[in-house]
């Protein structure tokens, strides 16, 4: 007979229960969409607690703060207050918490600053200026991506400089000094006592790997059970940290990873599907459980998802099923133009609201790129429908909020150069940019922070008095920050800095809005110190310091903001929708070169990820799924004509409404050509039998060669550019009528040289 305190296990199906109760050794849970993944994680932690595992020995890693909060709330309902001491949070928030305790062991201050993207951009801009590099060639966005990728793959500036392939790629990209920019960026962050988001992972790895003062053994013994949510979204670096935590002499390797390879959609952030595909090889004693019953969606939606994902080759085999019959098949809207698509979608929303009594919050519009939101916003406004766009400017990215936060950052970390530069002349003190550039150059040449240089008095005489007044102000602020709660310190900073009075003087509508934002920030800090749930736990009590608050909000995203109770239609990218669910979902812009993206053409791996993204999008729907595409749309100021997405053809016709009240389903002609650039055809089958197709070595692909591509057919290689491992071939495919010339990355291309 089941004991009363474990009666919650009756809420699980047989596979879920096995995954929850298997608590010894490595476990992998393959959780299809809507299969109760969160319930399994929650119940597993509750089961661990009830089996006498101390809460502080349990580490649960998630990808959003919201997911971690919901998990702890659910555990609390099952087992009570013990859930408060479970280490549950995002990779970044948990590692930031550990680094605050251990950072000095690797040379960082405990109150290190977390640089956001704007801070990184500002710092890189300074470095480009210092090195006198061409701003157009050394694009900051490209540099950020390059540095992030290097860190995610454990490539330090020193290793970067020794990697000939990376250096050759940079030369081909006309950015040969990228390695020097990376080196300077790392040095400047370190001098400023700052870490960017990637550093929170890299420095955590460094802390454990170097094992300074036996810190690795400390956390191996502390975390006896490690659980990882959304494991398919982990990158190489995150997986290496997990291995360092759970692998040691005598370890039972108590790691439980939960995820779905079919929902791996973040390779552009460094995530690698290989982690989940290889887990059973890495941990030989792994017990694998597949959660295949979908509790979210109806049969037409689940069937469509199953049909689409079968076109991907790299996957863990599973068959998602549901008992929810559903009264509605999938609707397809065929629009003449993108503006027509916006009108059709908004009209369909009105119809759903009137016919099925849906609230705005029950509805979502999902698209491939954020730029697509405009036409839907316009049509929703015309229909007086309330909506919210996710992925826009976050509250914490607004200027007045960032200005006040910069004062707070400098108050807890005087070495924070980006915060110093942002506020030294705000409100105006007569300290110009030229002065700051001179001081910055001196700080860089001496390997010091700007604060240290100014504090030594080595400043231009014209600005000396103003800078001394600023230092005097900041010393007062720093003193208050070190001896007060976060809220008391914040109020003092807002008033003493002059920001509060400056904003109060502006009586324009915009000025009042800025003042409201500052007050909202202060209200948030008040809530932080009064609500123990918001304040990170130390070993003994919640940490309500200003340093703790700053690190806490530095890790938030717009999807973590509290929005419960608000009734709006959600507009977001398919990437942002992962983990969410709605009664009615509209997946829009389903055209070749848009969804799937034109960037995926010619790369089987990238096309597979686009298909996984579509899979994620359609499985957000519970009852009503509507797919739409436009025959034409404006792109870069010109009208472009695109074919319907290949993903539409991968869904059997019998799953669609045979006749829609708005638009009929288009008929798909028999295939002649596969690819994103074709006129009126969609190919379902390759041009030759894949079983007989043998790709030639990349080295054999030379200019003038006749080649065969599985999907594009026969072609002639016009040119091969780039260094070894990075070659890009320009190929003219004779069987493609429209835009037959394509550029393809050779290591992904799978081309067969014809005799």
């Amino acid at each position: 007979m089941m004991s009363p305190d474990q009666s919650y296990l009756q809420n699980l199906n047989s596979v879920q229960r096995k995954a929850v109760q298997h608590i010894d050794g490595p476990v992998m849970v393959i959780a299809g969409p809507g299969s109760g993944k969160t319930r399994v994680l929650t119940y597993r932690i509750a089961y661990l607690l009830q089996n006498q595992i101390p809460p502080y020995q349990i580490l649960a890693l998630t990808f959003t703060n919201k997911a971690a909060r919901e998990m702890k709330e659910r555990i609390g309902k099952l087992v009570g207050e013990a859930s408060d001491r479970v280490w549950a949070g995002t990779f970044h928030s948990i590692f930031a918490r550990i680094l605050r305790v251990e950072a000095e062991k690797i040379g960082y201050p405990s109150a290190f600053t977390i640089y956001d993207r704007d801070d990184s951009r500002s710092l890189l801009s300074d470095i480009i200026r210092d090195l006198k590099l061409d701003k157009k060639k050394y694009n900051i966005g490209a540099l950020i991506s390059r540095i992030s990728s290097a860190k995610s793959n454990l490539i330090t500036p020193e290793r970067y400089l020794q990697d000939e392939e990376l250096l050759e790629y940079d030369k081909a990209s006309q950015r040969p000094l990228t390695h020097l920019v990376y080196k300077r960026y790392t040095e400047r962050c370190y001098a400023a006592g700052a870490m960017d988001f990637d550093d929170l992972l890299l420095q955590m790895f460094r802390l454990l790997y170097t094992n300074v003062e036996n810190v690795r053994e400390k956390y191996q013994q502390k975390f006896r059970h490690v659980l990882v949510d959304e494991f398919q979204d982990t990158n190489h670096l995150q997986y290496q940290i997990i291995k360092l935590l759970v692998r040691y002499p005598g370890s039972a390797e108590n790691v439980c990873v939960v995820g779905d390879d079919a929902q791996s959609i973040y390779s552009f952030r460094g995530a690698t599907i290989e982690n989940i595909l290889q887990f059973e090889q890495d941990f030989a004693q792994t017990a694998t459980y597949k959660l295949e019953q979908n509790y979210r969606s109806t049969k037409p939606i689940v069937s469509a998802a199953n049909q689409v994902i079968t076109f991907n080759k790299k996957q863990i085999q599973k068959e998602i099923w549901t008992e929810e019959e559903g009264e509605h098949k999938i609707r397809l809207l065929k629009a003449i133009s993108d503006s027509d698509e916006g009108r059709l979608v908004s009209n369909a929303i009105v119809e759903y609201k009137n016919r099925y009594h849906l609230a705005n919050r029950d509805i979502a519009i999902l698209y491939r790129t954020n730029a697509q939101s405009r036409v839907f916003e316009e049509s929703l406004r015309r229909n007086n429908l309330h909506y919210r766009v996710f992925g826009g400017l976050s509250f914490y990215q607004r200027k007045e909020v960032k200005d006040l936060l910069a004062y707070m950052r400098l108050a807890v970390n005087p070495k924070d150069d980006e915060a110093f530069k942002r506020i030294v002349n705000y409100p105006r003190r007569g300290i110009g940019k030229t002065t700051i550039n001179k001081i910055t150059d001196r700080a860089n040449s001496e390997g010091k922070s700007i604060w240290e240089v100014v504090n030594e008095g080595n400043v231009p005489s014209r600005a000396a008095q103003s800078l001394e007044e600023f230092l005097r102000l900041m010393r007062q602020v720093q003193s208050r920050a070190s001896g007060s709660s976060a809220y008391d310190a914040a109020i003092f900073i807002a008033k003493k800095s002059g920001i509060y009075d400056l904003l109060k003087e502006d009586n324009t509508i915009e000025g009042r809005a800025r003042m409201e934002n500052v007050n909202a920030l202060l209200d948030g800090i008040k809530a932080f110190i009064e609500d123990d749930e918001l304040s990170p736990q130390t070993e003994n009590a919640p940490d309500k310091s200003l340093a703790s608050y700053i690190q806490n909000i530095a890790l938030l995203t717009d999807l973590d903001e509290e929005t419960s109770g608000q009734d709006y239609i959600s507009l977001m990218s398919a990437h942002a929708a992962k983990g969410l669910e709605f009664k009615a979902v509209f997946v829009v812009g389903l055209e070749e070169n848009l969804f799937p993206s034109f960037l995926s053409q010619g790369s089987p791996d990238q096309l597979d990820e686009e298909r996984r993204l579509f899979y994620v999008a359609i499985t957000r729907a519970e009852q009503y799924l509507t797919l739409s595409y436009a025959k034409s749309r404006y792109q870069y100021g010109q009208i472009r004509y695109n074919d319907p997405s290949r993903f539409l053809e991968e869904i059997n016709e019998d799953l669609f409404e045979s006749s829609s009240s708005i638009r009929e389903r288009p008929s798909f002609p028999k295939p002649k050509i596969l690819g994103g650039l074709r006129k009126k055809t969609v190919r379902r089958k390759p041009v030759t039998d894949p079983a007989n197709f043998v790709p030639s070595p990349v080295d054999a692909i030379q200019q003038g060669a006749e080649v065969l591509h599985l999907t594009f057919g026969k072609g002639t290689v016009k040119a091969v550019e780039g260094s070894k491992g990075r070659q890009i071939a320009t190929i003219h495919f004779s069987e493609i009528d429209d835009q037959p010339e394509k550029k393809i990355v050779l290591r992904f291309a799978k081309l067969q040289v014809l005799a």
Side-chain angles (χ1 to χ4, degrees):
M1 182 176 176
M2 190 176 294
S3 59
D5 62 342
Q6 291 183 2
S7 60
Y8 58 84
L9 294 178
Q10 295 175 338
N11 297 324
L12 302 173
N13 64 36
S14 60
V15 182
Q16 290 173 331
R17 191 178 302 119
K18 289 176 183 177
V20 165
Q21 293 181 300
H22 191 136
I23 60 175
D24 296 316
V27 172
M28 180 166 70
V29 181
I30 302 300
S35 63
K37 168 180 68 73
T38 304
R39 174 172 287 190
V40 168
L41 272 172
T42 300
Y43 283 23
R44 183 180 173 86
I45 294 172
Y47 190 77
L48 287 169
L49 293 170
Q50 291 188 332
N51 279 270
Q52 309 309 310
I53 305 298
Y56 51 81
Q57 289 188 352
I58 301 172
L59 172 63
L61 296 167
T62 68
F63 275 85
T64 68
N65 296 295
K66 184 179 180 182
R69 284 197 304 270
E70 289 177 354
M71 189 185 302
K72 292 187 76 170
E73 288 170 3
R74 293 191 189 188
I75 300 167
K77 291 177 181 177
L78 295 174
V79 298
E81 294 181 359
S83 64
D84 293 342
R85 285 169 288 144
V86 171
W87 283 63
T90 65
F91 282 87
H92 293 90
S93 64
I94 291 292
F95 296 165
R97 179 176 166 186
I98 292 172
L99 287 166
R100 281 197 68 202
V101 177
E102 312 291 353
E104 292 179 355
K105 291 183 173 68
I106 52 175
Y108 284 86
S110 60
F112 62 86
T113 297
I114 299 174
Y115 274 180
D116 65 13
R117 196 171 183 85
D118 285 348
D119 296 318
S120 295
R121 292 182 70 89
S122 175
L123 177 52
L124 284 168
S125 181
D126 279 354
I127 292 169
I128 290 168
R129 177 182 61 83
D130 295 344
L131 295 174
K132 297 180 173 57
L133 301 176
D134 186 333
K135 291 182 180 179
K136 292 182 180 178
K137 291 181 179 177
Y138 286 85
N139 176 272
I140 290 178
L143 290 172
I144 288 176
S145 177
R146 194 80 170 141
I147 291 170
S148 176
S149 177
K151 290 180 179 179
S152 295
N153 287 286
L154 287 170
I155 300 172
T156 61
E158 293 73 25
R159 284 189 60 196
Y160 196 108
L161 188 56
Q162 296 168 2
D163 192 313
E164 291 186 11
E165 187 175 330
L166 293 175
L167 298 179
E168 282 297 319
Y169 180 87
D170 291 338
K171 287 180 183 177
S173 302
Q174 296 187 304
R175 290 189 289 267
L177 294 181
T178 297
H179 66 91
L180 182 56
V181 174
Y182 180 21
K183 181 173 183 289
R184 292 280 181 93
Y185 177 81
T186 302
E187 292 170 346
R188 294 277 291 272
C189 284
Y190 183 76
M195 299 185 198
D196 62 21
F197 267 60
D198 295 308
D199 283 325
L200 293 175
L201 304 179
L202 184 61
Q203 298 306 330
M204 182 68 190
F205 175 85
R206 178 184 166 201
L207 185 72
L208 297 175
Y209 185 78
T210 57
N211 199 25
V212 56
E213 298 182 28
N214 296 317
V215 71
R216 182 168 70 234
E217 284 86 349
K218 172 183 175 180
Y219 287 99
Q220 287 173 339
Q221 295 304 310
K222 183 177 184 66
F223 301 130
R224 305 309 292 267
H225 288 267
V226 177
L227 299 91
V228 185
D229 190 14
E230 305 287 8
F231 183 63
Q232 76 282 344
D233 293 336
T234 54
N235 62 27
H236 174 70
L237 178 51
Q238 287 165 323
Y239 193 20
Q240 295 308 310
I241 294 171
I242 292 165
K243 288 179 180 177
L244 284 174
L245 286 172
V246 303
R247 280 187 165 164
Y248 51 91
S251 166
E253 296 186 340
N254 292 327
V255 56
C256 174
V257 300
V258 182
D260 182 6
D261 57 295
Q263 298 185 66
S264 177
I265 59 173
Y266 293 119
S267 66
F268 66 95
R269 294 181 185 170
T272 171
I273 193 174
E274 301 302 327
N275 288 351
I276 195 167
L277 296 179
Q278 295 179 358
F279 186 82
E280 290 174 306
Q281 297 174 32
D282 293 341
F283 291 87
Q285 304 302 315
T286 298
T288 300
Y289 300 95
K290 296 179 182 179
L291 308 183
E292 296 175 301
Q293 183 174 1
N294 181 298
Y295 294 94
R296 174 190 300 154
S297 307
T298 60
K299 283 187 177 179
I301 297 168
V302 170
S303 297
N306 281 332
Q307 290 168 11
V308 167
I309 206 63
T310 57
F311 283 78
N312 276 10
K313 293 182 180 178
K314 285 185 179 179
Q315 58 178 296
I316 298 171
Q317 292 300 319
K318 55 189 171 297
E319 182 73 18
I320 307 303
W321 60 277
T322 182
E323 294 179 344
E324 300 294 323
E325 291 291 341
E327 300 177 8
H328 306 278
K329 291 188 175 184
I330 300 168
R331 176 179 285 186
L332 182 65
L333 305 181
K334 176 183 175 183
I336 297 170
S337 64
D338 50 354
S339 59
D340 185 42
E341 184 184 28
R343 180 181 62 81
L344 292 176
V345 167
S346 61
N347 288 348
I349 289 174
V350 172
E351 178 189 338
Y352 281 146
K353 285 171 63 66
N354 291 335
R355 180 178 294 184
Y356 306 119
H357 309 292
L358 299 184
N360 289 330
R361 70 175 68 89
D362 297 328
I363 303 168
I365 300 174
L366 309 182
Y367 33 71
R368 180 61 182 82
T369 65
N370 286 318
Q372 290 170 255
S373 73
R374 180 187 58 80
V375 293
F376 300 102
E377 290 186 69
E378 291 174 356
S379 59
L380 292 174
R381 280 198 296 268
R382 281 194 292 269
N383 281 280
N384 200 28
L385 293 169
H386 185 46
Y387 66 88
R388 180 184 176 191
V389 180
F390 289 84
L393 190 64
S394 164
F395 172 81
Y396 294 101
Q397 294 299 314
R398 292 166 185 163
K399 180 184 181 302
E400 59 277 7
V401 173
K402 292 200 72 164
D403 289 337
L404 185 51
L405 285 173
Y407 270 97
M408 298 180 196
R409 283 168 45 178
L410 198 62
V412 300
N413 177 17
K415 296 170 72 176
D416 186 341
D417 285 355
E418 295 309 308
F420 190 107
K421 289 187 292 184
R422 185 179 187 96
I423 61 172
V424 67
N425 197 41
Y426 180 77
R428 291 187 181 280
R429 298 182 177 90
I431 304 170
K433 190 170 184 178
T434 301
T435 298
I436 296 304
N437 287 344
K438 288 180 180 178
I439 298 170
T440 301
D441 291 343
R442 180 163 191 145
N444 295 336
S445 65
E446 297 179 5
K448 298 176 179 178
S449 68
I450 296 175
W451 175 272
E452 290 171 314
V453 170
V454 175
N455 207 40
E456 291 168 358
N458 298 322
V459 298
S461 57
R462 289 174 54 188
Q465 184 176 346
S466 297
L467 285 166
E468 180 54 40
E469 290 175 0
F470 178 68
L471 290 183
R472 196 178 304 118
L473 164 67
M474 289 311 304
R475 291 190 193 104
Q476 290 179 283
V477 165
Q478 289 160 9
S479 176
R480 177 62 70 97
S482 63
S484 305
S485 71
Y487 182 70
D488 289 341
I491 287 290
F492 181 82
I493 291 169
K495 293 181 177 178
K496 196 73 178 176
S497 65
I499 289 179
Y500 211 82
D501 290 338
L502 183 67
L503 293 178
K504 195 184 291 185
E505 293 172 0
D506 188 348
N507 290 318
T508 64
I509 294 175
E510 294 80 6
R512 287 196 292 270
R514 285 192 285 270
M515 189 68 185
E516 288 172 2
N517 287 334
V518 166
N519 284 327
L521 177 64
L522 296 172
D523 290 342
I525 299 174
K526 184 73 170 177
F528 173 81
I529 68 162
E530 291 183 349
D531 189 340
D532 289 350
E533 290 295 319
L534 298 178
S535 306
Q537 297 282 322
T538 62
E539 292 297 328
N540 302 311
D543 185 349
K544 300 179 184 297
S545 68
L546 188 62
S548 175
Y549 171 77
I550 290 169
Q551 289 202 355
N552 191 49
I553 59 98
L555 298 165
L556 292 178
T557 70
D558 59 347
L559 289 175
D560 287 317
E561 293 178 26
E562 182 55 49
T563 58
S564 59
Q566 300 180 31
D567 189 34
Y568 50 76
I569 297 164
S570 296
L571 275 67
M572 64 183 75
S573 69
H575 282 102
K578 189 161 174 295
L580 305 178
E581 56 187 46
F582 305 88
K583 287 184 180 178
V585 168
F586 292 77
V587 185
V588 300
L590 286 168
E591 300 135 38
E592 287 293 313
N593 297 317
L594 184 56
F595 202 173
S597 165
F598 75 94
L599 295 173
S600 68
Q601 307 298 337
S603 169
D605 287 345
Q606 290 183 29
L607 184 57
D608 279 1
E609 178 150 333
E610 290 288 304
R611 187 174 283 108
R612 293 194 295 268
L613 182 59
F614 179 62
Y615 177 90
V616 166
I618 63 178
T619 55
R620 300 310 94 198
E622 297 174 1
Q623 299 177 35
Y624 311 98
L625 174 61
T626 303
L627 309 178
S628 72
Y629 71 95
K631 285 186 173 181
S632 66
R633 69 176 58 243
Y634 272 98
Q635 288 179 297
Y636 311 111
Q638 294 183 326
I639 292 180
R640 299 290 177 93
Y641 296 92
N642 294 323
D643 292 319
S645 170
R646 69 189 70 193
F647 301 153
L648 292 173
E649 196 214 5
E650 293 169 358
I651 301 172
N652 289 348
E653 286 197 29
D654 59 5
L655 294 179
F656 288 90
E657 292 181 353
S658 58
S659 178
S660 167
S661 60
I662 300 179
R663 279 289 192 270
E664 292 184 357
R665 182 176 193 236
S667 58
F668 292 99
K670 291 183 179 180
K672 291 183 182 178
I673 306 163
L674 173 65
L677 300 169
R678 57 194 190 278
K679 286 189 175 179
K680 297 181 179 178
T681 56
V682 178
R683 177 181 297 282
R684 295 188 66 173
K685 297 180 181 179
V687 296
T688 187
D689 184 355
N692 300 325
F693 183 83
V694 180
S696 300
V698 170
D699 292 344
I701 313 299
Q702 303 290 336
Q703 183 175 346
E706 295 295 319
V707 296
L708 178 67
H709 189 278
L710 259 179
T711 53
F712 297 144
K714 294 180 180 179
T716 303
V717 180
K718 297 297 184 182
V720 178
E721 303 168 289
S723 59
K724 187 173 182 179
R726 307 279 182 174
Q727 298 104 313
I728 296 175
T730 302
I731 304 174
H732 185 279
F733 290 99
S734 57
E735 298 178 26
I736 297 180
D737 298 328
D738 185 21
Q739 299 186 30
E741 199 159 280
K742 296 181 178 295
K743 288 184 180 291
I744 299 181
V745 180
L746 284 184
R747 63 184 173 130
F748 298 131
K750 295 184 179 178
L751 296 165
Q752 185 182 80
V753 176
L754 300 175

